[in-house]
């Protein structure tokens, strides 16, 4: 994968254990999703999807914010434009940013500061979400005079349930800390001083799993999971034997016997 200079307004860092961290890097604009950043994100997501060495993707923000959402100047640049034209502008934007959801490996939102609007939806699109305990989460679309976008009306109920989604979308209020955890917005929150180390630890734990098994598990848990108990049994009766035929299974069993960390290769 090319160095991060190939992705304007993004910083890309890879560790030896397969964790790839993407930092939205436009702190002066609170990491708003401008057109140049969107273009970089599109190219990067396409490359990550094909990179077999990546085992976990972490998304975070530079400076004091995670992501302030869409570029309001861009959103309001064409007052009176035909609805069809605006639709053709917004739909590709949604799909590019939410392509993160289609990556085959687990994704983590490391919410270092406010996650607002489309930025909140980016966090919701990740498999796991962790935040600094003071980080605000808000979806104030109607406060700005517009309908929610970026799949907010799907992602928010999926994560926090319909009743909580209604409240957050209708009132536009921000949540943080223990309340955000209680609602299900975040898995956990950490004090700012502990945050970088905790994210590194969690990402390393995710990346340490057997790659084939982790990817199949992610597929099993997409959305609300299986449509029925029987569907879950049928999936597992196929997916588990696939992993039982891998070299990684033998490595995992050997590592358990020898009381050491496994060295999985994805084969």
């Amino acid at each position: 994968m090319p160095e991060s200079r190939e992705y304007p307004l993004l910083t890309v860092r890879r560790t030896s254990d397969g964790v790839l961290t993407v930092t939205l890097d436009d702190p002066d604009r609170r990491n708003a999703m401008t057109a140049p950043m969107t273009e970089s994100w599109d190219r990067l997501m396409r490359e990550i999807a094909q990179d077999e060495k990546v085992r976990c993707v972490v998304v975070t923000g530079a400076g004091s914010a995670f992501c302030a959402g869409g570029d309001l100047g861009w959103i309001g640049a064409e007052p009176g434009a035909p609805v069809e034209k605006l639709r053709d502008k917004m739909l590709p934007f949604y799909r590019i940013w939410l392509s993160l959801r289609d990556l085959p490996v687990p994704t983590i939102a490391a919410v270092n500061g406010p996650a607002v609007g489309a930025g909140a939806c980016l966090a919701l699109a990740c498999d796991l979400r962790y935040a600094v305990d003071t980080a605000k989460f808000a979806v104030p679309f109607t406060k700005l005079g517009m309908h929610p976008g970026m799949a907010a009306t799907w992602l928010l109920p999926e994560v926090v349930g319909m009743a909580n989604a209604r409240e957050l979308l209708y009132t536009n209020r921000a949540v943080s800390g223990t309340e955000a955890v209680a609602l299900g917005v975040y898995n956990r929150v950490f004090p700012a001083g502990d945050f970088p180390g905790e994210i590194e630890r969690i990402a390393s734990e995710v990346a340490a799993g057997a790659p084939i098994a982790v990817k199949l598990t992610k597929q099993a848990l997409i959305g609300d999971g299986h449509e029925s108990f029987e569907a879950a049994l049928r999936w597992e009766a196929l997916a588990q034997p696939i992993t039982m035929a891998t070299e990684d299974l033998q490595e995992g069993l050997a590592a358990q016997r020898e009381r050491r960390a496994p060295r999985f290769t994805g084969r």
Side-chain angles (χ1 to χ4, degrees), residues 164-193:
N164 290 326
R166 287 188 178 114
E167 186 200 7
L168 293 176
L169 288 168
Y170 293 165
T171 67
N172 300 285
R173 73 183 186 90
V175 295
S176 62
T178 56
E179 181 184 13
V181 175
L183 289 172
V185 171
Y186 301 131
N187 294 86
R188 276 181 281 170
V189 295
F190 302 101

Side-chain angles (χ1 to χ4, degrees), residues 84-254:
E84 293 79 6
K85 181 179 179 181
L86 296 174
R87 178 197 61 200
D88 292 343
K89 179 179 179 179
M90 296 312 299
L91 192 56
F93 174 84
Y94 301 157
R95 285 177 170 157
I96 286 170
W97 282 99
L98 294 174
S99 63
L100 172 77
R101 193 172 164 93
D102 298 325
L103 293 180
V105 297
T107 56
I108 297 173
V111 183
N112 57 298
V116 180
C121 294
L122 181 63
L124 293 172
C126 291
D127 297 308
L128 302 171
R129 290 164 299 282
Y130 302 95
V132 173
D133 52 10
T134 56
K136 299 292 186 182
F137 175 97
V139 282
F141 292 99
T142 61
K143 187 176 181 180
L144 294 173
M146 62 180 172
H147 187 281
M150 195 119 138
T153 56
W154 174 277
L155 293 170
L156 197 59
E158 179 184 60
V159 170
V160 305
M162 187 60 75
N164 290 326
R166 287 188 178 114
E167 186 200 7
L168 293 176
L169 288 168
Y170 293 165
T171 67
N172 300 285
R173 73 183 186 90
V175 295
S176 62
T178 56
E179 181 184 13
V181 175
L183 289 172
V185 171
Y186 301 131
N187 294 86
R188 276 181 281 170
V189 295
F190 302 101
D194 298 338
F195 189 65
E198 290 291 348
I199 294 299
E200 183 178 348
R201 178 185 61 79
I202 293 167
S204 293
E205 288 178 351
V206 172
I212 296 172
V214 171
K215 289 177 180 179
L216 288 171
T217 301
K218 175 166 179 170
Q219 289 298 311
L221 298 175
I222 285 175
D224 290 328
H226 302 288
E227 62 183 17
S228 68
F229 180 73
E230 181 62 25
L233 292 182
R234 290 183 178 277
W235 168 265
E236 292 179 2
L238 173 63
Q240 193 170 60
I242 289 173
T243 57
M244 290 169 67
T246 63
E247 294 177 14
D248 278 348
L249 175 74
Q250 300 305 317
E251 167 61 15
L253 295 174

Side-chain angles (χ1 to χ4, degrees), residues 37-103:
M37 184 185 285
T38 301
E39 181 181 347
S40 292
W41 181 267
D42 187 22
R43 290 192 291 110
L44 178 59
M45 291 299 111
R46 292 175 188 272
E47 295 197 11
I48 292 175
Q50 302 300 319
D51 192 334
E52 292 294 328
K53 295 181 180 179
V54 176
R55 297 190 179 185
C56 177
V57 174
V58 177
V59 181
T60 192
S64 61
F66 175 72
C67 180
D71 180 355
L72 295 183
W74 182 76
I75 291 171
E78 299 181 89
V83 169
E84 293 79 6
K85 181 179 179 181
L86 296 174
R87 178 197 61 200
D88 292 343
K89 179 179 179 179
M90 296 312 299
L91 192 56
F93 174 84
Y94 301 157
R95 285 177 170 157
I96 286 170
W97 282 99
L98 294 174
S99 63
L100 172 77
R101 193 172 164 93
D102 298 325
L103 293 180

